[in-house]
Amino acid sequence: MTILCVRFQLPQAREADLPRLLAMLEEFTPVVQALPPDAALADLRGAERYFGRDAVELASVIRVRSLALYGVDCVIGAGPGPMLARVALGDAVPGVTCAAPEERDAVAEFLAGKPVGALPGVGAATSRTLADYGLDTLGRVAAAPLSTLQRLVGARAGRELHEKASGVDRGRVVPDSVSRSIAVERPFGRDELDPDRHRRALLSAAEELGARLRTLDKVCRTLTLTVRYADRSATTRSRTLAEPTAHSPELTRSAYGMYEALGLQRARVRAVGLRVERLDPADQASHQLTFDPVDEKVRRVEEVADRARAKFGPRAVMPGGLAGRAA
C-alpha cells in the first residue's frame, strides 16, 4: 500500500487553501499530484521507509496534522496504485482510511460490485452507454469480451476500461506544479440579479488572483469561472489563455468573456468564483511584445500598484470600479 488519495473537506469559501494543504503533504513526500479543487495524490514509497510506518498509518498522521494546523478534516483512500487509491476514496469516511487490497484476486473482488462510474475518468455518458448493454458494474465490465467494449466505447478507451475494471493499475503519481491552482470566490450577501454587480465581483476576483500570482512569481495558462445559483446548482467554464499571464486586466477580460457567453438573464446568483490553473514560473513564460504604448503603461502602473499594496495593504490601490465598495 503506497499511494494515498486525500480529499480535503474544504468549504467553497476556503478552496484557495489547497496549495497550503499540498505543501503540508510535501512534508511527507515530494511526490504529490494536485487534483483540484480539493484533492491530491501522494506516493509514500519513500516516506514508508523514512518514517518506518505504512501508508495507512501515515494517513492518520496526515489527517491529524490537517485538522491541527488548518482546521480541515479529510477523507483518505489508499491503494497500491493511483487508480485503486481513488476508487478506495469513494468508500472512505472521515476518521477511517479505506484501503484497497494488493492481491490480484482480492482487487478483482473489491472492484466487482462497484458501478462503472467509480473508475476515475469514466463519465456519465460512458456509464450510460455501458449500462444500456447491461454492463453496469466493474465486475461485468471485466468479464465482458475486450472486443465488445472496444465496439461500444472505442479501441483505446475500451482497452483501458477493461484493464482498470480487472484491477490493472498502470498509473503513477506525477508531481507537477502545473496542476496547482489558486481560487478566489466572491459570495453575495443575497441572491444577486444585477449583472453589473456580477461583473464587479469578477473584477475584484481577477484583481486578487493577478496580485497573488505576481507575488508568487507565477503565471497561469487556464482560467476557470464558476457561477453558483440560488438553487445550489452551478455553471463552470474554462478558457485556455492566449499566453501565460499574471496580468490582472487580461484575467478580467477573459472572465468577462466567459461570463457574457453564459447569456444569463435574470439569474439569481449566489456567488461567482475564478480559478487559475496550470501555473508556471513567471521567468519561464514569454510575452508577445506589442507596439501599443497603452499596454506597456498599464503593466508599469500594475508594478507600481503592487509595490504600494505590499507596503500599505491590499486596498491601497484598486480599479476605479471597486473604489468605495466592499467587493
Side-chain angles (χ1 to χ4, degrees), residues 2-280:
T2 59
I3 309 298
L4 295 184
C5 185
V6 183
R7 172 167 292 127
F8 298 102
Q9 295 190 308
L10 286 168
Q12 293 173 358
R14 293 192 58 189
E15 287 182 0
D17 287 347
L18 182 61
R20 292 197 299 164
L21 294 164
L22 295 175
M24 182 268 293
L25 287 179
E26 289 172 349
E27 296 175 6
F28 293 86
T29 172
V31 189
V32 174
Q33 178 180 345
L35 301 175
D38 58 2
L41 291 167
D43 187 333
L44 297 182
R45 279 177 291 187
E48 288 176 319
R49 292 192 295 270
Y50 182 82
F51 291 102
R53 299 184 180 187
D54 64 27
V56 174
E57 292 173 323
L58 289 173
S60 298
V61 179
I62 289 170
R63 182 180 294 109
V64 170
R65 185 167 294 188
S66 177
L67 278 167
L69 296 180
Y70 303 103
V72 176
D73 202 354
C74 54
V75 290
I76 303 176
M83 184 270 290
L84 289 170
R86 295 179 71 173
V87 173
L89 179 68
D91 294 335
V93 296
V96 179
T97 299
C98 179
E102 298 188 57
E103 298 77 13
R104 182 68 178 269
D105 291 342
V107 168
E109 183 178 352
F110 172 74
L111 294 175
K114 297 187 182 302
V116 178
L119 284 181
V122 177
T126 299
S127 296
R128 285 195 299 269
T129 298
L130 295 171
D132 288 343
Y133 289 87
L135 303 175
D136 55 351
T137 67
L138 294 179
R140 291 176 178 175
V141 171
L146 175 59
S147 58
T148 298
L149 294 176
Q150 290 179 321
R151 282 197 300 273
L152 292 176
V153 299
R156 179 177 177 180
R159 182 173 61 254
E160 292 180 354
L161 182 62
H162 190 266
E163 287 185 349
K164 290 180 178 179
S166 302
V168 178
D169 191 349
R170 301 186 187 278
R172 61 190 181 94
V173 181
V174 181
D176 187 358
S177 60
V178 170
S179 64
R180 304 295 174 85
S181 66
I182 303 174
V184 172
E185 185 163 277
R186 292 291 185 264
F188 296 107
R190 56 182 175 79
D191 298 335
E192 186 57 64
L193 295 169
D194 186 355
D196 289 338
R197 290 187 62 85
H198 300 166
R199 291 170 62 89
R200 192 178 303 122
L202 290 174
L203 172 61
S204 172
E207 285 288 322
E208 180 178 336
L209 283 176
R212 290 172 64 178
L213 284 170
R214 296 189 296 275
T215 299
L216 296 170
D217 290 325
K218 299 284 189 180
V219 292
C220 69
R221 294 176 177 270
T222 302
L223 181 67
T224 298
L225 164 69
T226 300
V227 180
R228 305 190 191 279
Y229 306 105
D231 62 359
R232 298 190 178 184
S233 64
T235 300
T236 300
R237 294 290 184 270
S238 293
R239 175 172 294 182
T240 299
L241 304 175
E243 63 181 23
T245 188
H247 188 37
S248 294
E250 181 58 38
L251 296 175
T252 302
R253 282 192 292 270
S254 296
Y256 283 172
M258 287 187 286
Y259 172 80
E260 297 296 341
L262 292 178
L264 301 180
Q265 295 181 356
R266 304 293 294 172
R268 296 170 60 203
V269 175
R270 184 156 294 177
V272 296
L274 293 177
R275 177 186 304 279
V276 288
E277 299 174 290
R278 301 174 61 199
L279 308 187
D280 286 330

